[in-house]
Amino acid sequence: MNNVTLKRKWANWKFIAFILILIAVFIKFFVMGDGDENAPVTVEMDLPRIALRSEKEVEAVLGPGKLDSYYKDENAGCDKCPKMIYKEGKVEIIFINDIADRITLNNLSDFDFENRVILGLLNLKDNVEPKIDDDKLKQWDNYEKYTQISAFADGNDIDYILIKSKTE
């Protein structure tokens, strides 16, 4: 009879352990958030040190750039503005009226398409909700001193980020 009682107690403990595991799985997937809100974010480009700066100031931060082409935009008052490439194509900057105005940050497929991650990549601290927020585009208008910040998705990851510093 002792053997039967021991088997019954062991079966009860296995059942309790199974229930606890199910509860833990439920909490993990349905109660907890997707990510840690306080987790550190990688800074890919320090936007406040780049945007609205001269070519020499940008070069001091990013290193030497390479002239890619010339950009023309009548609305921005730009007839032959240089488009410079930095960090082997990771950063593209168009200098309009001698300041870094249109900035593109490329090759970001390692990062999730989330507001906090996008702003963190640019070293921007204020977690402001975007004006446009859908599966393919997140866009902030008049974020701090920048005219527009747009992030484009490739699935669940970031494809690239476009910043318009001063011009529209």
Side-chain angles (χ1 to χ4, degrees):
M1 203 106 117
N2 272 344
N3 198 14
V4 173
T5 308
L6 184 63
K7 284 183 180 179
R8 200 173 284 171
K9 284 183 180 181
W10 175 245
N12 287 343
W13 280 108
K14 285 195 314 190
F15 180 74
I16 291 171
F18 178 74
I19 295 298
L20 288 174
I21 290 171
L22 285 178
I23 291 171
V25 168
F26 175 81
I27 290 171
K28 166 68 176 149
F29 289 107
F30 297 105
V31 176
M32 292 176 62
D34 287 339
D36 183 7
E37 212 39 51
N38 298 319
V41 176
T42 304
V43 176
E44 285 290 310
M45 183 183 67
D46 194 353
L47 186 62
R49 293 182 59 203
I50 305 292
L52 305 169
R53 307 292 176 155
S54 69
E55 279 188 60
K56 291 199 182 295
E57 291 172 308
V58 170
E59 192 172 288
V61 175
L62 296 177
K66 183 176 119 183
L67 179 63
D68 181 55
S69 61
Y70 289 98
Y71 178 78
K72 182 177 181 176
D73 184 353
E74 291 178 16
N75 293 337
C78 179
D79 189 35
K80 192 176 177 185
C81 297
K83 178 181 176 184
M84 302 292 288
I85 304 292
Y86 298 90
K87 295 190 172 187
E88 300 171 2
K90 183 86 172 180
V91 180
E92 298 174 5
I93 300 176
I94 298 173
F95 289 89
I96 299 175
N97 297 324
D98 298 323
I99 61 169
D101 198 329
R102 294 196 181 174
I103 304 165
T104 306
L105 187 58
N106 298 306
N107 306 326
L108 301 171
S109 61
D110 294 338
F111 300 99
D112 294 331
F113 191 63
E114 297 176 6
N115 297 350
R116 188 180 63 82
V117 173
I118 294 164
L119 296 174
L121 287 169
L122 302 172
N123 200 21
L124 299 174
K125 307 290 188 231
D126 294 335
N127 194 7
V128 176
E129 290 297 316
K131 182 176 181 181
I132 298 173
D133 189 355
D134 61 37
D135 293 340
K136 296 288 181 190
L137 171 68
K138 291 183 186 278
Q139 182 175 305
W140 292 263
D141 290 334
N142 299 315
Y143 181 96
E144 293 179 1
K145 60 185 175 184
Y146 311 108
T147 303
Q148 188 177 79
I149 298 172
S150 303
F152 299 87
D154 182 19
N156 292 331
D157 300 325
I158 303 171
D159 188 18
Y160 69 96
I161 300 173
L162 172 65
I163 300 102
K164 294 179 181 178
S165 301
K166 191 173 181 181
T167 59
E168 292 187 20

